[in-house]
Short mmCIF file of all heavy atoms in Angstrom, two decimals:
data_model
loop_
_atom_site.label_atom_id
_atom_site.label_comp_id
_atom_site.label_asym_id
_atom_site.label_seq_id
_atom_site.Cartn_x
_atom_site.Cartn_y
_atom_site.Cartn_z
N HIS A 1 75.06 64.38 119.29
CA HIS A 1 76.15 63.48 119.75
C HIS A 1 76.44 63.56 121.22
O HIS A 1 76.01 64.53 121.85
CB HIS A 1 77.40 63.74 118.92
CG HIS A 1 77.85 65.19 118.98
ND1 HIS A 1 78.30 65.80 120.15
CD2 HIS A 1 77.92 66.15 118.11
CE1 HIS A 1 78.64 67.03 119.93
NE2 HIS A 1 78.38 67.29 118.66
N PRO A 2 77.07 62.50 121.80
CA PRO A 2 77.42 62.56 123.28
C PRO A 2 78.29 63.78 123.63
O PRO A 2 78.93 64.39 122.76
CB PRO A 2 78.02 61.30 123.48
CG PRO A 2 77.73 60.41 122.35
CD PRO A 2 77.53 61.31 121.22
N ALA A 3 78.35 64.07 124.89
CA ALA A 3 79.12 65.24 125.44
C ALA A 3 80.65 64.95 125.24
O ALA A 3 81.43 65.93 125.18
CB ALA A 3 78.83 65.47 126.88
N ASN A 4 81.06 63.67 125.07
CA ASN A 4 82.51 63.41 124.97
C ASN A 4 82.96 63.50 123.51
O ASN A 4 84.02 63.00 123.14
CB ASN A 4 82.89 62.09 125.55
CG ASN A 4 82.17 60.90 124.91
OD1 ASN A 4 81.39 61.09 123.91
ND2 ASN A 4 82.46 59.71 125.35
N VAL A 5 82.14 64.00 122.62
CA VAL A 5 82.58 64.24 121.22
C VAL A 5 82.89 65.66 121.05
O VAL A 5 82.11 66.59 121.28
CB VAL A 5 81.42 63.85 120.23
CG1 VAL A 5 81.84 64.25 118.83
CG2 VAL A 5 81.16 62.36 120.34
N HIS A 6 84.16 65.98 120.68
CA HIS A 6 84.70 67.30 120.47
C HIS A 6 84.87 67.58 119.01
O HIS A 6 85.71 66.93 118.34
CB HIS A 6 86.04 67.47 121.24
CG HIS A 6 86.51 68.84 121.32
ND1 HIS A 6 87.05 69.33 122.50
CD2 HIS A 6 86.47 69.86 120.48
CE1 HIS A 6 87.37 70.65 122.29
NE2 HIS A 6 87.04 70.98 121.09
N VAL A 7 84.06 68.48 118.49
CA VAL A 7 84.04 68.83 117.03
C VAL A 7 84.98 70.01 116.81
O VAL A 7 84.76 71.09 117.35
CB VAL A 7 82.69 69.14 116.50
CG1 VAL A 7 82.71 69.52 114.98
CG2 VAL A 7 81.74 67.91 116.68
N LEU A 8 85.92 69.85 115.94
CA LEU A 8 86.81 70.96 115.55
C LEU A 8 86.52 71.44 114.15
O LEU A 8 86.45 70.59 113.21
CB LEU A 8 88.36 70.54 115.63
CG LEU A 8 88.86 70.15 117.03
CD1 LEU A 8 90.29 69.72 116.86
CD2 LEU A 8 88.79 71.32 117.96
N ARG A 9 86.31 72.72 114.04
CA ARG A 9 86.05 73.26 112.70
C ARG A 9 86.46 74.77 112.68
O ARG A 9 86.48 75.38 113.79
CB ARG A 9 84.60 73.09 112.28
CG ARG A 9 83.60 73.88 113.17
CD ARG A 9 82.18 73.73 112.69
NE ARG A 9 81.94 74.23 111.35
CZ ARG A 9 81.56 75.52 111.09
NH1 ARG A 9 81.42 76.40 112.10
NH2 ARG A 9 81.29 75.81 109.87
N GLU A 10 86.75 75.21 111.54
CA GLU A 10 87.10 76.70 111.44
C GLU A 10 86.10 77.30 110.46
O GLU A 10 85.79 76.74 109.42
CB GLU A 10 88.54 76.85 110.90
CG GLU A 10 89.58 76.38 111.90
CD GLU A 10 89.68 77.17 113.07
OE1 GLU A 10 89.35 78.50 112.97
OE2 GLU A 10 90.01 76.67 114.16
N ARG A 11 85.65 78.50 110.79
CA ARG A 11 84.73 79.21 109.90
C ARG A 11 85.48 79.73 108.72
O ARG A 11 86.54 80.43 108.87
CB ARG A 11 84.06 80.31 110.64
CG ARG A 11 83.19 79.86 111.79
CD ARG A 11 82.59 81.10 112.52
NE ARG A 11 81.62 81.78 111.74
CZ ARG A 11 80.32 81.53 111.77
NH1 ARG A 11 79.83 80.58 112.49
NH2 ARG A 11 79.51 82.25 110.99
N VAL A 12 85.09 79.44 107.51
CA VAL A 12 85.68 79.93 106.31
C VAL A 12 84.66 80.49 105.36
O VAL A 12 83.46 80.10 105.39
CB VAL A 12 86.46 78.82 105.59
CG1 VAL A 12 87.66 78.30 106.43
CG2 VAL A 12 85.56 77.62 105.24
N PRO A 13 85.01 81.44 104.51
CA PRO A 13 83.99 82.12 103.71
C PRO A 13 83.28 81.20 102.67
O PRO A 13 82.14 81.50 102.35
CB PRO A 13 84.83 83.21 102.90
CG PRO A 13 86.05 83.39 103.76
CD PRO A 13 86.41 82.08 104.40
N CYS A 14 83.94 80.15 102.34
CA CYS A 14 83.35 79.18 101.32
C CYS A 14 82.58 78.06 101.90
O CYS A 14 82.11 77.21 101.15
CB CYS A 14 84.47 78.70 100.37
SG CYS A 14 85.85 77.94 101.32
N GLY A 15 82.47 77.99 103.19
CA GLY A 15 81.88 76.79 103.77
C GLY A 15 80.80 77.03 104.81
O GLY A 15 80.63 78.20 105.23
N PRO A 16 80.11 76.01 105.18
CA PRO A 16 80.27 74.62 104.72
C PRO A 16 79.62 74.46 103.31
O PRO A 16 78.50 74.93 103.09
CB PRO A 16 79.55 73.78 105.78
CG PRO A 16 78.57 74.76 106.28
CD PRO A 16 79.11 76.12 106.26
N CYS A 17 80.26 73.78 102.41
CA CYS A 17 79.89 73.68 101.02
C CYS A 17 79.23 72.35 100.61
O CYS A 17 78.51 72.22 99.68
CB CYS A 17 81.03 73.96 100.05
SG CYS A 17 82.27 72.70 100.16
N HIS A 18 79.55 71.25 101.35
CA HIS A 18 79.05 69.91 101.10
C HIS A 18 79.51 69.38 99.80
O HIS A 18 78.89 68.43 99.25
CB HIS A 18 77.46 69.92 101.25
CG HIS A 18 76.98 70.09 102.57
ND1 HIS A 18 76.79 69.12 103.44
CD2 HIS A 18 76.61 71.24 103.26
CE1 HIS A 18 76.38 69.54 104.62
NE2 HIS A 18 76.26 70.86 104.54
N ARG A 19 80.55 69.93 99.20
CA ARG A 19 81.06 69.37 97.98
C ARG A 19 82.00 68.21 98.30
O ARG A 19 82.71 68.24 99.29
CB ARG A 19 81.87 70.47 97.21
CG ARG A 19 80.99 71.58 96.65
CD ARG A 19 81.87 72.63 95.99
NE ARG A 19 81.13 73.75 95.45
CZ ARG A 19 80.72 73.80 94.17
NH1 ARG A 19 81.00 72.81 93.38
NH2 ARG A 19 80.01 74.80 93.74
N GLU A 20 81.99 67.23 97.29
CA GLU A 20 82.85 66.07 97.46
C GLU A 20 84.32 66.43 97.14
O GLU A 20 85.26 65.85 97.74
CB GLU A 20 82.37 64.92 96.60
CG GLU A 20 83.33 63.72 96.57
CD GLU A 20 83.51 63.08 97.86
OE1 GLU A 20 82.70 63.18 98.82
OE2 GLU A 20 84.61 62.47 98.06
N ILE A 21 84.50 67.30 96.19
CA ILE A 21 85.83 67.79 95.73
C ILE A 21 85.89 69.25 95.81
O ILE A 21 84.99 69.97 95.23
CB ILE A 21 86.23 67.17 94.37
CG1 ILE A 21 86.23 65.65 94.30
CG2 ILE A 21 87.56 67.75 93.83
CD1 ILE A 21 86.52 65.09 92.97
N CYS A 22 86.90 69.84 96.36
CA CYS A 22 87.04 71.25 96.56
C CYS A 22 87.33 71.91 95.10
O CYS A 22 88.30 71.49 94.48
CB CYS A 22 88.16 71.61 97.46
SG CYS A 22 88.32 73.46 97.68
N PRO A 23 86.49 72.88 94.67
CA PRO A 23 86.77 73.43 93.32
C PRO A 23 87.71 74.58 93.38
O PRO A 23 88.07 75.09 92.28
CB PRO A 23 85.34 73.99 92.96
CG PRO A 23 84.71 74.31 94.26
CD PRO A 23 85.22 73.35 95.32
N LEU A 24 88.15 75.04 94.51
CA LEU A 24 89.05 76.19 94.66
C LEU A 24 90.48 75.77 94.42
O LEU A 24 90.85 74.59 94.50
CB LEU A 24 88.89 76.85 96.07
CG LEU A 24 87.43 77.20 96.46
CD1 LEU A 24 87.49 77.80 97.86
CD2 LEU A 24 86.92 78.25 95.48
N THR A 25 91.30 76.76 94.11
CA THR A 25 92.67 76.55 93.82
C THR A 25 93.59 77.41 94.69
O THR A 25 93.11 78.31 95.39
CB THR A 25 93.01 76.86 92.32
OG1 THR A 25 92.68 78.22 92.08
CG2 THR A 25 92.22 76.00 91.45
N GLY A 26 94.91 77.17 94.68
CA GLY A 26 95.86 77.96 95.38
C GLY A 26 95.60 77.84 96.88
O GLY A 26 95.32 76.78 97.40
N GLU A 27 95.85 78.93 97.59
CA GLU A 27 95.75 78.93 99.07
C GLU A 27 94.34 78.62 99.59
O GLU A 27 94.18 78.20 100.73
CB GLU A 27 96.24 80.26 99.58
CG GLU A 27 97.73 80.50 99.35
CD GLU A 27 98.16 81.81 100.00
OE1 GLU A 27 97.37 82.57 100.58
OE2 GLU A 27 99.40 82.14 99.98
N ARG A 28 93.35 78.88 98.72
CA ARG A 28 91.94 78.66 99.15
C ARG A 28 91.57 77.16 99.01
O ARG A 28 90.52 76.78 99.56
CB ARG A 28 91.03 79.53 98.33
CG ARG A 28 91.21 81.01 98.53
CD ARG A 28 90.12 81.75 97.78
NE ARG A 28 90.08 81.38 96.31
CZ ARG A 28 89.06 81.64 95.57
NH1 ARG A 28 87.91 82.21 95.99
NH2 ARG A 28 89.11 81.38 94.25
N HIS A 29 92.37 76.36 98.31
CA HIS A 29 92.01 74.98 98.15
C HIS A 29 91.97 74.19 99.50
O HIS A 29 92.97 74.23 100.21
CB HIS A 29 92.97 74.27 97.20
CG HIS A 29 92.70 72.87 96.97
ND1 HIS A 29 91.67 72.43 96.23
CD2 HIS A 29 93.32 71.74 97.41
CE1 HIS A 29 91.59 71.12 96.17
NE2 HIS A 29 92.60 70.62 96.93
N HIS A 30 90.82 73.58 99.71
CA HIS A 30 90.65 72.78 100.98
C HIS A 30 90.95 73.57 102.25
O HIS A 30 91.39 73.02 103.26
CB HIS A 30 91.49 71.56 100.83
CG HIS A 30 90.98 70.36 101.60
ND1 HIS A 30 91.68 69.13 101.67
CD2 HIS A 30 89.78 70.13 102.17
CE1 HIS A 30 90.91 68.26 102.31
NE2 HIS A 30 89.78 68.86 102.58
N VAL A 31 90.63 74.87 102.22
CA VAL A 31 91.07 75.71 103.39
C VAL A 31 90.21 75.30 104.62
O VAL A 31 90.70 75.49 105.74
CB VAL A 31 90.81 77.21 102.99
CG1 VAL A 31 89.30 77.47 102.83
CG2 VAL A 31 91.40 78.08 104.06
N CYS A 32 89.04 74.70 104.48
CA CYS A 32 88.26 74.36 105.64
C CYS A 32 88.98 73.36 106.53
O CYS A 32 88.89 73.39 107.79
CB CYS A 32 86.90 73.84 105.23
SG CYS A 32 86.92 72.37 104.12
N MET A 33 89.63 72.41 105.89
CA MET A 33 90.45 71.37 106.69
C MET A 33 91.84 71.88 107.05
O MET A 33 92.32 71.64 108.10
CB MET A 33 90.49 70.08 105.82
CG MET A 33 89.28 69.25 105.92
SD MET A 33 88.88 68.70 107.61
CE MET A 33 87.99 67.23 107.35
N LYS A 34 92.46 72.56 106.13
CA LYS A 34 93.76 73.06 106.35
C LYS A 34 93.86 74.09 107.46
O LYS A 34 94.91 74.30 108.06
CB LYS A 34 94.41 73.61 105.06
CG LYS A 34 94.68 72.62 103.92
CD LYS A 34 95.18 73.34 102.70
CE LYS A 34 95.51 72.35 101.59
NZ LYS A 34 95.97 73.06 100.34
N SER A 35 92.78 74.71 107.82
CA SER A 35 92.68 75.71 108.83
C SER A 35 92.64 75.10 110.21
O SER A 35 92.88 75.77 111.22
CB SER A 35 91.54 76.63 108.64
OG SER A 35 91.56 77.38 107.44
N ILE A 36 92.39 73.82 110.30
CA ILE A 36 92.38 73.11 111.60
C ILE A 36 93.81 72.83 112.03
O ILE A 36 94.54 72.11 111.40
CB ILE A 36 91.54 71.81 111.59
CG1 ILE A 36 90.10 72.14 111.17
CG2 ILE A 36 91.55 71.16 112.93
CD1 ILE A 36 89.24 70.90 111.01
N GLU A 37 94.32 73.43 113.13
CA GLU A 37 95.65 73.34 113.55
C GLU A 37 95.99 72.05 114.29
O GLU A 37 95.13 71.57 115.11
CB GLU A 37 95.99 74.57 114.43
CG GLU A 37 96.03 75.84 113.79
CD GLU A 37 97.10 75.97 112.71
OE1 GLU A 37 98.11 75.23 112.83
OE2 GLU A 37 96.93 76.74 111.75
N PRO A 38 97.06 71.35 114.00
CA PRO A 38 97.45 70.20 114.69
C PRO A 38 97.51 70.33 116.14
O PRO A 38 97.07 69.41 116.88
CB PRO A 38 98.85 69.84 114.07
CG PRO A 38 98.85 70.46 112.78
CD PRO A 38 98.00 71.69 112.84
N ASP A 39 97.91 71.47 116.72
CA ASP A 39 97.95 71.69 118.16
C ASP A 39 96.59 71.73 118.71
O ASP A 39 96.35 71.26 119.86
CB ASP A 39 98.73 72.97 118.47
CG ASP A 39 100.25 72.84 118.27
OD1 ASP A 39 100.74 71.74 118.20
OD2 ASP A 39 100.89 73.89 118.15
N ALA A 40 95.56 72.13 117.95
CA ALA A 40 94.21 72.18 118.43
C ALA A 40 93.66 70.76 118.57
O ALA A 40 92.94 70.45 119.53
CB ALA A 40 93.30 72.99 117.57
N ILE A 41 94.09 69.91 117.67
CA ILE A 41 93.70 68.49 117.73
C ILE A 41 94.34 67.80 118.92
O ILE A 41 93.65 67.12 119.71
CB ILE A 41 94.16 67.76 116.44
CG1 ILE A 41 93.46 68.37 115.19
CG2 ILE A 41 93.86 66.30 116.48
CD1 ILE A 41 93.95 67.90 113.88
N ALA A 42 95.53 68.14 119.18
CA ALA A 42 96.33 67.54 120.31
C ALA A 42 95.59 68.05 121.64
O ALA A 42 95.54 67.23 122.57
CB ALA A 42 97.74 67.98 120.30
N ARG A 43 95.26 69.22 121.74
CA ARG A 43 94.66 69.78 123.02
C ARG A 43 93.26 69.08 123.23
O ARG A 43 92.97 68.74 124.32
CB ARG A 43 94.45 71.31 122.92
CG ARG A 43 95.75 72.08 123.01
CD ARG A 43 95.52 73.53 123.24
NE ARG A 43 94.78 74.18 122.13
CZ ARG A 43 95.45 74.73 121.06
NH1 ARG A 43 96.74 74.76 121.04
NH2 ARG A 43 94.65 75.28 120.11
N ALA A 44 92.50 68.94 122.10
CA ALA A 44 91.17 68.34 122.25
C ALA A 44 91.35 66.86 122.67
O ALA A 44 90.59 66.30 123.43
CB ALA A 44 90.41 68.42 120.97
N ALA A 45 92.34 66.15 122.07
CA ALA A 45 92.62 64.78 122.34
C ALA A 45 92.95 64.59 123.86
O ALA A 45 92.42 63.71 124.55
CB ALA A 45 93.66 64.19 121.47
#
């Protein structure tokens, strides 16, 4: 991708899994996305 594309991701024990629906429950459910902080998005933007 071009240099002006900023990819935000957090390393999590279960990922990257490439699953369409997260099979985990509780605090681990969808943790790959929930770990991306809103302030980090604002700084990158």
Side-chain angles (χ1 to χ4, degrees):
H1 53 68
N4 62 359
V5 174
H6 192 137
V7 177
L8 295 179
R9 65 181 297 271
E10 293 293 330
R11 297 177 68 91
V12 294
C14 53
C17 67
H18 291 272
R19 292 177 179 267
E20 174 59 27
I21 297 177
C22 179
L24 304 179
T25 59
E27 294 183 357
R28 296 187 301 162
H29 180 72
H30 211 186
V31 67
C32 58
M33 280 299 206
K34 292 178 179 177
S35 297
I36 300 175
E37 293 295 334
D39 286 343
I41 300 172
R43 288 193 297 270

